Amino acid sequence: YYGAVPGPKYSALLNRDSGWGKKPQPDQAYTTGRMGYEWNMSSDLFKEFMYWVSTNGIMDDYVLLVMFLPTAGDPSIPQNVSAYGHRRAKWNVQIRYVWATSKGTDYNKNILTHGQQFQSGLDKFLPCRHFYNYVDQKLTCAKTNDQWLSAYFSDISRMKAIKRRVDPNEVFRSRLLSKP
């Protein structure tokens, strides 16, 4: 498929500058994704991924990378003991784009539009949940700020209460007390 990354060479492990997204040197990036709660995938969801990765994919090398990562956590840990909201998720799909700004404004817009349309296509199949290491300010599934917060975290009301108590002046800005 276009944009697929060739396998790494052992020597690349010694070079911290090697790896995905290094050729050509990117200076723009966009990451989004979703969490999956079942090990199986419907054929319609698979077709949706194939459409955005292959049929309607990005035809330039090293721009689009889609990774499925297992995340199954320890089910003995209660869901609400931390801000991590996805203790029961089985996997995370990361959808990453990197590209050079020199490609131009239209190219930049097209990549971001592709990312938004890709995740809109997933909205009908997957819950509005995402991994907080890859925060996407424009999740298509989150129509309100509280929906956005719930996509990443658990027990939002508790988090807001803590934020009001320890940082009422928003010295450390977040979406807990106001939208970005």
mmCIF file of all heavy atoms in Angstrom, residues 68-112:
data_model
loop_
_atom_site.group_PDB
_atom_site.id
_atom_site.type_symbol
_atom_site.label_atom_id
_atom_site.label_comp_id
_atom_site.label_asym_id
_atom_site.label_seq_id
_atom_site.Cartn_x
_atom_site.Cartn_y
_atom_site.Cartn_z
ATOM 1 N N PHE A 68 -2.259 -0.536 14.994
ATOM 2 C CA PHE A 68 -3.141 -1.129 15.995
ATOM 3 C C PHE A 68 -2.257 -1.626 17.129
ATOM 4 O O PHE A 68 -1.370 -2.447 16.914
ATOM 5 C CB PHE A 68 -3.940 -2.282 15.397
ATOM 6 C CG PHE A 68 -5.016 -1.834 14.470
ATOM 7 C CD1 PHE A 68 -4.754 -1.610 13.134
ATOM 8 C CD2 PHE A 68 -6.299 -1.620 14.949
ATOM 9 C CE1 PHE A 68 -5.744 -1.182 12.274
ATOM 10 C CE2 PHE A 68 -7.300 -1.199 14.106
ATOM 11 C CZ PHE A 68 -7.025 -0.981 12.755
ATOM 12 N N LEU A 69 -2.506 -1.134 18.323
ATOM 13 C CA LEU A 69 -1.679 -1.480 19.473
ATOM 14 C C LEU A 69 -2.543 -2.104 20.565
ATOM 15 O O LEU A 69 -3.550 -1.523 20.979
ATOM 16 C CB LEU A 69 -0.997 -0.224 20.020
ATOM 17 C CG LEU A 69 -0.167 0.541 18.989
ATOM 18 C CD1 LEU A 69 0.193 1.913 19.501
ATOM 19 C CD2 LEU A 69 1.070 -0.248 18.645
ATOM 20 N N PRO A 70 -2.178 -3.278 21.055
ATOM 21 C CA PRO A 70 -2.949 -3.871 22.157
ATOM 22 C C PRO A 70 -2.772 -3.051 23.427
ATOM 23 O O PRO A 70 -1.679 -2.568 23.714
ATOM 24 C CB PRO A 70 -2.345 -5.267 22.306
ATOM 25 C CG PRO A 70 -1.035 -5.221 21.634
ATOM 26 C CD PRO A 70 -1.058 -4.107 20.632
ATOM 27 N N THR A 71 -3.848 -2.876 24.166
ATOM 28 C CA THR A 71 -3.797 -2.075 25.395
ATOM 29 C C THR A 71 -4.474 -2.758 26.567
ATOM 30 O O THR A 71 -4.680 -2.126 27.596
ATOM 31 C CB THR A 71 -4.488 -0.714 25.195
ATOM 32 O OG1 THR A 71 -5.853 -0.948 24.856
ATOM 33 C CG2 THR A 71 -3.811 0.112 24.132
ATOM 34 N N ALA A 72 -4.880 -4.000 26.412
ATOM 35 C CA ALA A 72 -5.666 -4.668 27.446
ATOM 36 C C ALA A 72 -4.994 -4.518 28.809
ATOM 37 O O ALA A 72 -3.886 -4.973 29.021
ATOM 38 C CB ALA A 72 -5.850 -6.137 27.104
ATOM 39 N N GLY A 73 -5.675 -3.823 29.688
ATOM 40 C CA GLY A 73 -5.135 -3.560 31.011
ATOM 41 C C GLY A 73 -5.550 -4.607 32.025
ATOM 42 O O GLY A 73 -6.201 -5.597 31.700
ATOM 43 N N ASP A 74 -5.192 -4.375 33.247
ATOM 44 C CA ASP A 74 -5.515 -5.275 34.347
ATOM 45 C C ASP A 74 -6.959 -5.038 34.781
ATOM 46 O O ASP A 74 -7.274 -3.982 35.337
ATOM 47 C CB ASP A 74 -4.544 -5.003 35.498
ATOM 48 C CG ASP A 74 -4.741 -5.935 36.673
ATOM 49 O OD1 ASP A 74 -5.772 -6.641 36.731
ATOM 50 O OD2 ASP A 74 -3.867 -5.945 37.547
ATOM 51 N N PRO A 75 -7.862 -5.994 34.529
ATOM 52 C CA PRO A 75 -9.266 -5.792 34.880
ATOM 53 C C PRO A 75 -9.519 -5.717 36.384
ATOM 54 O O PRO A 75 -10.597 -5.327 36.820
ATOM 55 C CB PRO A 75 -9.976 -7.000 34.255
ATOM 56 C CG PRO A 75 -8.919 -8.012 34.045
ATOM 57 C CD PRO A 75 -7.616 -7.279 33.912
ATOM 58 N N SER A 76 -8.525 -6.062 37.209
ATOM 59 C CA SER A 76 -8.722 -5.982 38.652
ATOM 60 C C SER A 76 -8.608 -4.542 39.159
ATOM 61 O O SER A 76 -8.988 -4.245 40.281
ATOM 62 C CB SER A 76 -7.704 -6.869 39.380
ATOM 63 O OG SER A 76 -6.394 -6.348 39.229
ATOM 64 N N ILE A 77 -8.092 -3.632 38.333
ATOM 65 C CA ILE A 77 -7.976 -2.223 38.727
ATOM 66 C C ILE A 77 -9.311 -1.545 38.457
ATOM 67 O O ILE A 77 -9.796 -1.556 37.323
ATOM 68 C CB ILE A 77 -6.851 -1.520 37.951
ATOM 69 C CG1 ILE A 77 -5.515 -2.191 38.244
ATOM 70 C CG2 ILE A 77 -6.803 -0.033 38.300
ATOM 71 C CD1 ILE A 77 -4.369 -1.681 37.388
ATOM 72 N N PRO A 78 -9.924 -0.957 39.476
ATOM 73 C CA PRO A 78 -11.211 -0.289 39.267
ATOM 74 C C PRO A 78 -11.098 0.842 38.235
ATOM 75 O O PRO A 78 -10.079 1.525 38.149
ATOM 76 C CB PRO A 78 -11.556 0.273 40.647
ATOM 77 C CG PRO A 78 -10.768 -0.572 41.600
ATOM 78 C CD PRO A 78 -9.504 -0.936 40.868
ATOM 79 N N GLN A 79 -12.151 1.020 37.469
ATOM 80 C CA GLN A 79 -12.188 1.999 36.390
ATOM 81 C C GLN A 79 -11.930 3.421 36.869
ATOM 82 O O GLN A 79 -11.294 4.200 36.186
ATOM 83 C CB GLN A 79 -13.557 1.923 35.691
ATOM 84 C CG GLN A 79 -13.724 2.858 34.527
ATOM 85 C CD GLN A 79 -12.925 2.449 33.300
ATOM 86 O OE1 GLN A 79 -12.532 1.296 33.164
ATOM 87 N NE2 GLN A 79 -12.677 3.386 32.420
ATOM 88 N N ASN A 80 -12.396 3.777 38.043
ATOM 89 C CA ASN A 80 -12.363 5.176 38.473
ATOM 90 C C ASN A 80 -11.229 5.529 39.434
ATOM 91 O O ASN A 80 -11.278 6.566 40.073
ATOM 92 C CB ASN A 80 -13.701 5.553 39.096
ATOM 93 C CG ASN A 80 -14.015 4.715 40.321
ATOM 94 O OD1 ASN A 80 -13.278 3.795 40.651
ATOM 95 N ND2 ASN A 80 -15.110 5.033 40.982
ATOM 96 N N VAL A 81 -10.199 4.719 39.551
ATOM 97 C CA VAL A 81 -9.116 5.038 40.489
ATOM 98 C C VAL A 81 -8.111 6.035 39.915
ATOM 99 O O VAL A 81 -7.268 6.541 40.646
ATOM 100 C CB VAL A 81 -8.375 3.787 41.004
ATOM 101 C CG1 VAL A 81 -9.311 2.893 41.790
ATOM 102 C CG2 VAL A 81 -7.703 3.047 39.885
ATOM 103 N N SER A 82 -8.189 6.280 38.635
ATOM 104 C CA SER A 82 -7.300 7.262 38.028
ATOM 105 C C SER A 82 -8.023 7.947 36.884
ATOM 106 O O SER A 82 -9.149 7.595 36.544
ATOM 107 C CB SER A 82 -6.013 6.593 37.516
ATOM 108 O OG SER A 82 -6.280 5.864 36.339
ATOM 109 N N ALA A 83 -7.365 8.913 36.290
ATOM 110 C CA ALA A 83 -7.962 9.640 35.173
ATOM 111 C C ALA A 83 -8.018 8.812 33.894
ATOM 112 O O ALA A 83 -8.733 9.159 32.970
ATOM 113 C CB ALA A 83 -7.171 10.924 34.915
ATOM 114 N N TYR A 84 -7.249 7.716 33.840
ATOM 115 C CA TYR A 84 -7.225 6.900 32.624
ATOM 116 C C TYR A 84 -8.589 6.265 32.409
ATOM 117 O O TYR A 84 -9.044 5.452 33.211
ATOM 118 C CB TYR A 84 -6.128 5.834 32.720
ATOM 119 C CG TYR A 84 -5.993 5.008 31.465
ATOM 120 C CD1 TYR A 84 -5.625 5.609 30.271
ATOM 121 C CD2 TYR A 84 -6.241 3.651 31.470
ATOM 122 C CE1 TYR A 84 -5.497 4.869 29.108
ATOM 123 C CE2 TYR A 84 -6.107 2.897 30.316
ATOM 124 C CZ TYR A 84 -5.752 3.517 29.142
ATOM 125 O OH TYR A 84 -5.629 2.785 27.995
ATOM 126 N N GLY A 85 -9.237 6.622 31.330
ATOM 127 C CA GLY A 85 -10.615 6.214 31.123
ATOM 128 C C GLY A 85 -10.840 4.952 30.329
ATOM 129 O O GLY A 85 -11.972 4.619 30.017
ATOM 130 N N HIS A 86 -9.783 4.231 29.984
ATOM 131 C CA HIS A 86 -9.964 3.117 29.053
ATOM 132 C C HIS A 86 -9.402 1.805 29.574
ATOM 133 O O HIS A 86 -8.784 1.040 28.847
ATOM 134 C CB HIS A 86 -9.329 3.475 27.715
ATOM 135 C CG HIS A 86 -9.755 4.819 27.230
ATOM 136 N ND1 HIS A 86 -11.073 5.132 26.998
ATOM 137 C CD2 HIS A 86 -9.056 5.944 27.001
ATOM 138 C CE1 HIS A 86 -11.157 6.388 26.614
ATOM 139 N NE2 HIS A 86 -9.953 6.901 26.612
ATOM 140 N N ARG A 87 -9.621 1.534 30.841
ATOM 141 C CA ARG A 87 -9.090 0.315 31.456
ATOM 142 C C ARG A 87 -9.595 -0.946 30.762
ATOM 143 O O ARG A 87 -8.951 -1.968 30.809
ATOM 144 C CB ARG A 87 -9.480 0.251 32.923
ATOM 145 C CG ARG A 87 -8.897 1.377 33.709
ATOM 146 C CD ARG A 87 -7.986 0.851 34.790
ATOM 147 N NE ARG A 87 -7.395 1.991 35.463
ATOM 148 C CZ ARG A 87 -6.117 2.321 35.344
ATOM 149 N NH1 ARG A 87 -5.322 1.591 34.628
ATOM 150 N NH2 ARG A 87 -5.641 3.361 35.962
ATOM 151 N N ARG A 88 -10.751 -0.877 30.148
ATOM 152 C CA ARG A 88 -11.340 -2.066 29.531
ATOM 153 C C ARG A 88 -11.079 -2.149 28.020
ATOM 154 O O ARG A 88 -11.509 -3.093 27.373
ATOM 155 C CB ARG A 88 -12.849 -2.114 29.789
ATOM 156 C CG ARG A 88 -13.246 -2.041 31.264
ATOM 157 C CD ARG A 88 -12.689 -3.209 32.074
ATOM 158 N NE ARG A 88 -13.003 -3.071 33.478
ATOM 159 C CZ ARG A 88 -12.136 -2.694 34.408
ATOM 160 N NH1 ARG A 88 -10.910 -2.383 34.091
ATOM 161 N NH2 ARG A 88 -12.480 -2.602 35.675
ATOM 162 N N ALA A 89 -10.396 -1.176 27.444
ATOM 163 C CA ALA A 89 -10.116 -1.214 26.004
ATOM 164 C C ALA A 89 -9.161 -2.355 25.686
ATOM 165 O O ALA A 89 -8.257 -2.662 26.457
ATOM 166 C CB ALA A 89 -9.521 0.109 25.542
ATOM 167 N N LYS A 90 -9.376 -2.970 24.555
ATOM 168 C CA LYS A 90 -8.523 -4.068 24.106
ATOM 169 C C LYS A 90 -7.388 -3.562 23.213
ATOM 170 O O LYS A 90 -6.311 -4.113 23.208
ATOM 171 C CB LYS A 90 -9.330 -5.091 23.310
ATOM 172 C CG LYS A 90 -10.531 -5.643 24.049
ATOM 173 C CD LYS A 90 -10.106 -6.655 25.067
ATOM 174 C CE LYS A 90 -11.336 -7.369 25.603
ATOM 175 N NZ LYS A 90 -11.374 -7.449 27.024
ATOM 176 N N TRP A 91 -7.664 -2.512 22.429
ATOM 177 C CA TRP A 91 -6.664 -1.990 21.507
ATOM 178 C C TRP A 91 -6.891 -0.504 21.247
ATOM 179 O O TRP A 91 -7.950 0.039 21.509
ATOM 180 C CB TRP A 91 -6.640 -2.766 20.191
ATOM 181 C CG TRP A 91 -7.969 -2.961 19.518
ATOM 182 C CD1 TRP A 91 -8.807 -4.035 19.654
ATOM 183 C CD2 TRP A 91 -8.619 -2.074 18.591
ATOM 184 N NE1 TRP A 91 -9.930 -3.872 18.890
ATOM 185 C CE2 TRP A 91 -9.837 -2.680 18.215
ATOM 186 C CE3 TRP A 91 -8.308 -0.851 18.046
ATOM 187 C CZ2 TRP A 91 -10.727 -2.091 17.323
ATOM 188 C CZ3 TRP A 91 -9.190 -0.249 17.153
ATOM 189 C CH2 TRP A 91 -10.380 -0.880 16.800
ATOM 190 N N ASN A 92 -5.841 0.092 20.737
ATOM 191 C CA ASN A 92 -5.859 1.492 20.327
ATOM 192 C C ASN A 92 -5.392 1.539 18.886
ATOM 193 O O ASN A 92 -4.430 0.863 18.529
ATOM 194 C CB ASN A 92 -4.905 2.300 21.233
ATOM 195 C CG ASN A 92 -4.600 3.674 20.678
ATOM 196 O OD1 ASN A 92 -3.535 3.906 20.135
ATOM 197 N ND2 ASN A 92 -5.531 4.564 20.830
ATOM 198 N N VAL A 93 -6.081 2.291 18.063
ATOM 199 C CA VAL A 93 -5.587 2.525 16.710
ATOM 200 C C VAL A 93 -5.082 3.963 16.661
ATOM 201 O O VAL A 93 -5.793 4.895 17.044
ATOM 202 C CB VAL A 93 -6.638 2.261 15.614
ATOM 203 C CG1 VAL A 93 -7.870 3.143 15.753
ATOM 204 C CG2 VAL A 93 -6.023 2.428 14.233
ATOM 205 N N GLN A 94 -3.830 4.112 16.292
ATOM 206 C CA GLN A 94 -3.244 5.434 16.099
ATOM 207 C C GLN A 94 -3.214 5.718 14.608
ATOM 208 O O GLN A 94 -2.751 4.897 13.823
ATOM 209 C CB GLN A 94 -1.821 5.492 16.636
ATOM 210 C CG GLN A 94 -1.727 5.376 18.119
ATOM 211 C CD GLN A 94 -0.283 5.363 18.560
ATOM 212 O OE1 GLN A 94 0.581 5.972 17.931
ATOM 213 N NE2 GLN A 94 -0.005 4.664 19.633
ATOM 214 N N ILE A 95 -3.712 6.860 14.248
ATOM 215 C CA ILE A 95 -3.709 7.303 12.860
ATOM 216 C C ILE A 95 -2.820 8.537 12.829
ATOM 217 O O ILE A 95 -3.175 9.576 13.376
ATOM 218 C CB ILE A 95 -5.134 7.627 12.376
ATOM 219 C CG1 ILE A 95 -6.031 6.402 12.570
ATOM 220 C CG2 ILE A 95 -5.121 8.111 10.938
ATOM 221 C CD1 ILE A 95 -7.503 6.694 12.432
ATOM 222 N N ARG A 96 -1.634 8.379 12.231
ATOM 223 C CA ARG A 96 -0.627 9.441 12.269
ATOM 224 C C ARG A 96 -0.307 9.940 10.865
ATOM 225 O O ARG A 96 -0.111 9.155 9.942
ATOM 226 C CB ARG A 96 0.668 8.928 12.872
ATOM 227 C CG ARG A 96 0.574 8.541 14.303
ATOM 228 C CD ARG A 96 1.926 8.061 14.761
ATOM 229 N NE ARG A 96 1.913 7.808 16.185
ATOM 230 C CZ ARG A 96 3.001 7.559 16.876
ATOM 231 N NH1 ARG A 96 4.179 7.529 16.288
ATOM 232 N NH2 ARG A 96 2.918 7.337 18.164
ATOM 233 N N TYR A 97 -0.225 11.242 10.771
ATOM 234 C CA TYR A 97 0.192 11.890 9.532
ATOM 235 C C TYR A 97 1.399 12.767 9.854
ATOM 236 O O TYR A 97 1.389 13.483 10.855
ATOM 237 C CB TYR A 97 -0.898 12.813 8.997
ATOM 238 C CG TYR A 97 -2.214 12.156 8.674
ATOM 239 C CD1 TYR A 97 -3.159 11.906 9.658
ATOM 240 C CD2 TYR A 97 -2.528 11.816 7.361
ATOM 241 C CE1 TYR A 97 -4.383 11.329 9.345
ATOM 242 C CE2 TYR A 97 -3.748 11.240 7.049
ATOM 243 C CZ TYR A 97 -4.667 11.001 8.042
ATOM 244 O OH TYR A 97 -5.875 10.429 7.733
ATOM 245 N N VAL A 98 2.416 12.737 9.014
ATOM 246 C CA VAL A 98 3.528 13.691 9.089
ATOM 247 C C VAL A 98 3.872 14.106 7.662
ATOM 248 O O VAL A 98 3.807 13.294 6.731
ATOM 249 C CB VAL A 98 4.785 13.127 9.800
ATOM 250 C CG1 VAL A 98 4.534 12.871 11.269
ATOM 251 C CG2 VAL A 98 5.296 11.886 9.125
ATOM 252 N N TRP A 99 4.201 15.369 7.486
ATOM 253 C CA TRP A 99 4.507 15.868 6.159
ATOM 254 C C TRP A 99 5.288 17.174 6.272
ATOM 255 O O TRP A 99 5.327 17.803 7.321
ATOM 256 C CB TRP A 99 3.236 16.061 5.339
ATOM 257 C CG TRP A 99 2.336 17.149 5.832
ATOM 258 C CD1 TRP A 99 2.257 18.429 5.343
ATOM 259 C CD2 TRP A 99 1.388 17.089 6.906
ATOM 260 N NE1 TRP A 99 1.316 19.160 6.043
ATOM 261 C CE2 TRP A 99 0.767 18.346 7.010
ATOM 262 C CE3 TRP A 99 1.002 16.077 7.782
ATOM 263 C CZ2 TRP A 99 -0.211 18.632 7.962
ATOM 264 C CZ3 TRP A 99 0.035 16.373 8.734
ATOM 265 C CH2 TRP A 99 -0.558 17.629 8.815
ATOM 266 N N ALA A 100 5.893 17.545 5.185
ATOM 267 C CA ALA A 100 6.684 18.773 5.140
ATOM 268 C C ALA A 100 5.783 19.968 4.816
ATOM 269 O O ALA A 100 4.941 19.894 3.916
ATOM 270 C CB ALA A 100 7.767 18.660 4.077
ATOM 271 N N THR A 101 5.950 21.053 5.537
ATOM 272 C CA THR A 101 5.192 22.270 5.281
ATOM 273 C C THR A 101 5.435 22.764 3.862
ATOM 274 O O THR A 101 4.558 23.373 3.254
ATOM 275 C CB THR A 101 5.587 23.369 6.296
ATOM 276 O OG1 THR A 101 5.341 22.877 7.603
ATOM 277 C CG2 THR A 101 4.772 24.624 6.099
ATOM 278 N N SER A 102 6.600 22.469 3.343
ATOM 279 C CA SER A 102 6.947 22.930 2.000
ATOM 280 C C SER A 102 6.005 22.377 0.928
ATOM 281 O O SER A 102 5.995 22.860 -0.200
ATOM 282 C CB SER A 102 8.392 22.546 1.663
ATOM 283 O OG SER A 102 8.530 21.139 1.679
ATOM 284 N N LYS A 103 5.207 21.388 1.277
ATOM 285 C CA LYS A 103 4.225 20.847 0.326
ATOM 286 C C LYS A 103 3.160 21.886 -0.025
ATOM 287 O O LYS A 103 2.456 21.732 -1.008
ATOM 288 C CB LYS A 103 3.543 19.601 0.903
ATOM 289 C CG LYS A 103 4.450 18.421 1.094
ATOM 290 C CD LYS A 103 4.548 17.650 -0.182
ATOM 291 C CE LYS A 103 5.206 16.310 0.076
ATOM 292 N NZ LYS A 103 5.222 15.486 -1.104
ATOM 293 N N GLY A 104 3.000 22.899 0.840
ATOM 294 C CA GLY A 104 2.068 23.973 0.530
ATOM 295 C C GLY A 104 0.780 23.923 1.325
ATOM 296 O O GLY A 104 0.427 22.909 1.924
ATOM 297 N N THR A 105 0.079 25.021 1.304
ATOM 298 C CA THR A 105 -1.151 25.200 2.079
ATOM 299 C C THR A 105 -2.240 24.219 1.659
ATOM 300 O O THR A 105 -2.911 23.633 2.511
ATOM 301 C CB THR A 105 -1.665 26.643 1.932
ATOM 302 O OG1 THR A 105 -0.626 27.532 2.338
ATOM 303 C CG2 THR A 105 -2.886 26.890 2.791
ATOM 304 N N ASP A 106 -2.443 24.047 0.364
ATOM 305 C CA ASP A 106 -3.488 23.130 -0.096
ATOM 306 C C ASP A 106 -3.207 21.699 0.352
ATOM 307 O O ASP A 106 -4.119 20.982 0.760
ATOM 308 C CB ASP A 106 -3.631 23.183 -1.616
ATOM 309 C CG ASP A 106 -4.281 24.482 -2.095
ATOM 310 O OD1 ASP A 106 -4.926 25.167 -1.267
ATOM 311 O OD2 ASP A 106 -4.136 24.805 -3.288
ATOM 312 N N TYR A 107 -1.955 21.272 0.286
ATOM 313 C CA TYR A 107 -1.578 19.936 0.723
ATOM 314 C C TYR A 107 -1.862 19.787 2.219
ATOM 315 O O TYR A 107 -2.438 18.788 2.659
ATOM 316 C CB TYR A 107 -0.095 19.679 0.425
ATOM 317 C CG TYR A 107 0.334 18.256 0.650
ATOM 318 C CD1 TYR A 107 0.237 17.315 -0.370
ATOM 319 C CD2 TYR A 107 0.847 17.842 1.872
ATOM 320 C CE1 TYR A 107 0.634 16.003 -0.178
ATOM 321 C CE2 TYR A 107 1.253 16.533 2.072
ATOM 322 C CZ TYR A 107 1.138 15.615 1.042
ATOM 323 O OH TYR A 107 1.535 14.310 1.248
ATOM 324 N N ASN A 108 -1.462 20.789 2.997
ATOM 325 C CA ASN A 108 -1.721 20.763 4.447
ATOM 326 C C ASN A 108 -3.213 20.603 4.722
ATOM 327 O O ASN A 108 -3.620 19.779 5.545
ATOM 328 C CB ASN A 108 -1.206 22.035 5.113
ATOM 329 C CG ASN A 108 0.297 22.171 5.051
ATOM 330 O OD1 ASN A 108 1.017 21.227 4.748
ATOM 331 N ND2 ASN A 108 0.778 23.363 5.331
ATOM 332 N N LYS A 109 -4.030 21.385 4.058
ATOM 333 C CA LYS A 109 -5.486 21.307 4.251
ATOM 334 C C LYS A 109 -6.015 19.932 3.856
ATOM 335 O O LYS A 109 -6.878 19.373 4.531
ATOM 336 C CB LYS A 109 -6.187 22.397 3.444
ATOM 337 C CG LYS A 109 -6.009 23.777 4.002
ATOM 338 C CD LYS A 109 -6.707 24.810 3.136
ATOM 339 C CE LYS A 109 -6.430 26.211 3.646
ATOM 340 N NZ LYS A 109 -7.007 27.239 2.770
ATOM 341 N N ASN A 110 -5.497 19.387 2.747
ATOM 342 C CA ASN A 110 -5.955 18.076 2.288
ATOM 343 C C ASN A 110 -5.621 16.983 3.295
ATOM 344 O O ASN A 110 -6.431 16.077 3.529
ATOM 345 C CB ASN A 110 -5.353 17.740 0.926
ATOM 346 C CG ASN A 110 -5.951 18.567 -0.190
ATOM 347 O OD1 ASN A 110 -7.053 19.106 -0.063
ATOM 348 N ND2 ASN A 110 -5.221 18.696 -1.290
ATOM 349 N N ILE A 111 -4.445 17.040 3.900
ATOM 350 C CA ILE A 111 -4.067 16.040 4.898
ATOM 351 C C ILE A 111 -4.992 16.144 6.110
ATOM 352 O O ILE A 111 -5.510 15.126 6.602
ATOM 353 C CB ILE A 111 -2.596 16.211 5.336
ATOM 354 C CG1 ILE A 111 -1.654 15.913 4.164
ATOM 355 C CG2 ILE A 111 -2.265 15.335 6.542
ATOM 356 C CD1 ILE A 111 -1.665 14.478 3.690
ATOM 357 N N LEU A 112 -5.206 17.351 6.606
ATOM 358 C CA LEU A 112 -6.081 17.519 7.774
ATOM 359 C C LEU A 112 -7.517 17.102 7.455
ATOM 360 O O LEU A 112 -8.185 16.490 8.288
ATOM 361 C CB LEU A 112 -6.019 18.964 8.267
ATOM 362 C CG LEU A 112 -4.658 19.382 8.823
ATOM 363 C CD1 LEU A 112 -4.654 20.867 9.162
ATOM 364 C CD2 LEU A 112 -4.265 18.552 10.024
#
